[in-house]
Every structure is written in structure tokens, then in C-alpha cells.
Amino acid sequence: MSDTTPVPLCDIHAQYAALQSELEAATLRVLRSGQAINGPDVAAFEAEAAAYCGAKHAIGCANGTDAILLALAALDIGPDDEVILPPFTFFATVGSILRTGATPVFVDIDPDTYNLDPLKIEAAITDNTRAIMPVHLYGQCADMGPIRQIAKENGVYVIEDAAQSFGASYRGVKCGTLGDIASFSFYPSKNLGTLGDAGMVTTDDDDFAKKLFALRNHGCEVKYFHKHLGWNARLDTLHAAMLRVKLPHVDGWIEGRRAAAARYDSLIVEYGLNGFFTRPTVSIEGMHSFNQYVVRVADGRRDALVAHLREHKIGCEIYYPLSLHQQECIRPLGYHTGQFPVSEAATQSVLALPMFPELTEAQQRRVMDVTAAFAQSAMQRAA
């Protein structure tokens, strides 16, 4: 590979090229049917996705944010209620809670996995706590055993935010069935992604499922008769059709991601970058699906490395540069910097390297070549 060859953070074109004829046939089928809303592919995808996750019900929806909102609405969570969540995740998690009128209660993360720390949850529970919302970050499930036990002992719900972890598992059980309700995103870069926005909610509870199907369609169980105050959160038939094409390939793609992650682990050692990078910690409790491969960069050099990688056309991203409690629109809740030190430390050092199922060893060596050159230069300057 040329030493100037770009390496994207995520390459969705490779996936499209491999499935082009099937995706185009599915698209054409929907176009010819005229059933753009609630067409037969929606129900078919829901049945297939539920079977894949091992869930009794899957409810497709418009996007991953709507999936969280629907889960909260199905549980009647609103004003005067509190929901526990980590401060280190994408904004949709806290934004959805606030949209219901409920109060987000942050609990710091585990320093190794970046997921919600079960040891810190109990102290945050009050009489107003209605749910715990662990996020399965970067493709790895949170430590759900103790989280579920704490929820059971305190009579609160567990809502999985599984947006980044479709196909990941914990103690042999896929995410989506590890709590009372789970939310998923099918954004294009996810383990299972469509060519736009789409999402899904899973549950084993029949009553929750019935309510979710109504909520996503303006609260209707019967057309024009509105039992609940819902909204338009339907899954488009076109996206459902594309997701049906892709779903049978998910396990293979996850294995591709895991193989790429293992190569990164080996290459970091081979290139002598063990002291410069801290590799991802993989819990023995589950199967990491590596939606992202996230390292920590030593000695406050992360931002300089980001600039260097981008200058050399290497894709990278900071997930996330600011803890949720530090976001401007969250400040009125009264949180302050220093309150969640593990999350805040992560924002200063984490870096996602290129990761997608088709990532080649040559592309990864290009990433390591550019990184090693930066690290060597940094050491020389420090000498």
C-alpha cells in the first residue's frame, strides 16, 4: 500500500459493493410495490431481527433516538422520575430522557470498559428512580449481571441502550434481551446499518410490545383511534427491506471486526506502541462486537495525534470529547466538572481508529506506520 493511501474511519462502500445486486433488487421491489409505509418488509424484518436477538418482540422505528424515546414512553417514564445513565456516551441517551421530562442521574463509568460502573449505581438510587439505562459502548455489553440484580432489588426497570452493539453478547445472551426493553440504531456505520436512519426496540413483554407498536404510529392501536400520545416514529419500508438483505451477514461482519481488532492488538505490540496506546479491554463476560476500536493515547498527545492522522488522510474520531454532564445544555441540572472523574479522563485520551469488517492488514499497517512516525517524533522532541 502506498504511504499516501487514505484509510477511512468507516467504509460503507465496501459493504454496498458486496451486496449491490441484492440491495438494488430489494429497493426496486419496494418502489414497485408502492407500499412505502408499513409495507410487508417491515413486519418481516421485525420477525427476523427478533429471532436473531432472541427476543419475543422487535418493533422497528425511525432512528436510534426514537428507539430510546419509545422505550421510555412504553414504561410511562416522565416528570418526577429519575433515570440512571453513564455520562460517557452519545448525547441521544440523555437527550431522550430530558425530552420525557424525567431527570437524568449520572453514574461514572468503569475505567477499563467505559461502560456504566455497577459498583456506583446503588448510591445513586432514590425513591424517584424508575430505570437504569446502561449503554453497551463501542460494541461491548455493560456488566449486566449486577446491574439487573440492583434493578430487581430496587424495583426499577432496565433499558439497554444497544445502539452500538447489535450482535454483541453477555454470558452467551445477545444484547436486546438483557433488560426489560432495549433500543437499537441502524445508522449506516453500525454493525447492522441501513443507508439512512432507522432503529428498533426489543422486549419480551407482550404489553410493552403492544404499546410500542401503537406509540410509533401516533398512539394508534386502531387507525384514527388514539389510545396513547405517540408520534410518527415508523420504520420506512425501504430501510426494512435493506436491513433484511444485510441481517444474514451480520455475524460474518462482526467476525471481520473482531479479526481486525485482534490484528490491531498485535500490530500495536509489533510497532512498539504498547506504551503509547492502551488497547481496548475486552470483558471475559461477553463477546465484543467492535463497532469501534478505541484506544487511549498516552501523555496528553491525543489531539496532536488526531491532527497528524488526519493530515495523512487516516480516519479517526473522538468518541467522546466531552462528558455529558459538561455539555452546555445540561449545565442547568447542576452538575460540575470534576464530579465524574473517570468519564472526564476518558474524554481527554480516547481515540477511535479505522474499523469496519473489510479493513485489511495493509490498511492497518498504514495506520500504524503513520502513528509510529508521530510517536517517534514526539519522543525525540521530549528528549
Side-chain angles (χ1 to χ4, degrees):
M1 175 174 286
S2 165
D3 60 5
T4 61
T5 303
V7 181
L9 176 66
C10 178
D11 183 5
I12 63 173
H13 300 290
Q15 197 173 95
Y16 170 70
L19 298 174
Q20 181 177 349
S21 60
E22 294 175 72
L23 287 168
E24 291 179 355
T27 300
L28 189 59
R29 183 180 71 244
V30 174
L31 290 174
R32 287 174 172 170
S33 75
Q35 295 179 289
I37 303 295
N38 288 338
D41 279 296
V42 174
F45 170 69
E46 288 169 338
E48 291 158 6
Y52 177 87
C53 293
K56 191 173 182 181
H57 304 282
I59 300 89
C61 62
N63 53 66
T65 303
D66 271 340
I68 301 172
L69 282 164
L70 287 165
L72 292 163
L75 300 178
D76 293 319
I77 290 174
D80 301 323
D81 295 331
E82 295 176 353
V83 179
I84 291 172
L85 74 158
F88 189 69
T89 183
F90 182 58
F91 184 80
T93 313
V94 69
S96 300
I97 294 168
L98 288 166
R99 284 288 179 187
T100 70
T103 300
V105 176
F106 294 116
V107 168
D108 216 346
I109 59 172
D110 176 88
D112 296 323
T113 66
Y114 309 109
N115 283 326
L116 187 65
D117 188 341
L119 297 177
K120 297 174 181 174
I121 294 174
E122 196 79 51
I125 292 179
T126 72
D127 291 341
N128 293 324
T129 304
R130 288 287 311 286
I132 303 169
M133 190 182 291
V135 178
H136 304 319
L137 201 67
Y138 301 150
Q140 178 162 232
C141 291
D143 193 0
M144 295 300 293
I147 291 173
R148 291 181 66 172
Q149 185 61 34
I150 292 167
K152 181 179 179 181
E153 290 172 357
N154 289 275
V156 301
Y157 295 115
V158 175
I159 304 170
E160 299 173 73
D161 182 342
Q164 298 181 12
S165 296
F166 189 88
S169 63
Y170 175 83
R171 297 180 182 175
V173 178
K174 283 192 173 71
C175 63
T177 61
L178 298 169
D180 298 287
I181 285 185
S183 62
F184 291 91
S185 169
F186 299 126
Y187 187 77
S189 62
K190 304 299 186 185
N191 294 342
L192 174 62
T194 184
L195 295 181
D197 274 320
M200 180 178 76
V201 186
T202 55
T203 184
D204 285 338
D205 188 289
D206 295 342
D207 292 333
F208 292 160
K210 184 178 181 181
K211 189 173 181 180
L212 286 161
F213 278 116
L215 285 168
R216 74 166 181 190
N217 191 30
H218 293 291
C220 293
E221 291 182 1
V222 178
K223 192 174 183 180
Y224 301 129
F225 292 84
H226 303 268
K227 183 174 181 178
H228 309 284
L229 183 60
W231 65 97
N232 179 6
R234 296 184 295 258
L235 172 63
D236 288 342
T237 305
L238 189 60
H239 289 311
M242 288 188 284
L243 289 166
R244 290 189 69 201
V245 171
K246 290 187 169 189
L247 181 59
H249 301 275
V250 167
D251 286 342
W253 290 334
I254 290 174
E255 284 310 305
R257 290 176 179 275
R258 287 168 57 80
R263 285 197 301 269
Y264 268 134
D265 287 346
S266 297
L267 288 169
I268 287 170
V269 175
E270 179 184 329
Y271 277 74
L273 291 169
N274 246 346
F276 185 74
F277 280 155
T278 299
R279 292 171 289 168
T281 297
V282 178
S283 170
I284 61 172
E285 297 281 9
M287 189 274 287
H288 200 316
S289 62
F290 284 101
N291 187 232
Q292 289 91 22
Y293 184 90
V294 177
V295 296
R296 282 185 187 261
V297 183
D299 303 325
R301 293 173 176 163
R302 192 268 311 276
D303 293 349
L305 174 61
V306 168
H308 180 79
L309 290 171
R310 289 175 177 169
E311 180 183 349
H312 288 80
K313 300 180 181 179
I314 303 295
C316 59
E317 190 57 81
I318 300 170
Y319 303 115
Y320 297 93
L322 201 62
S323 198
L324 290 178
H325 70 287
Q326 297 173 301
Q327 295 286 352
E328 182 176 351
C329 64
I330 304 299
R331 291 174 192 165
L333 296 180
Y335 290 105
H336 57 83
T337 296
Q339 199 164 351
F340 303 102
V342 184
S343 176
E344 291 168 27
T347 67
Q348 300 302 307
S349 60
V350 295
L351 178 64
L353 301 179
M355 173 54 73
F356 46 94
E358 302 82 6
L359 187 67
T360 66
E361 181 177 345
Q363 288 174 313
Q364 290 177 283
R365 286 190 176 276
R366 165 93 172 114
V367 175
M368 293 295 106
D369 286 337
V370 173
T371 301
F374 172 87
Q376 183 177 13
S377 176
M379 286 188 292
Q380 291 172 347
R381 288 195 301 270

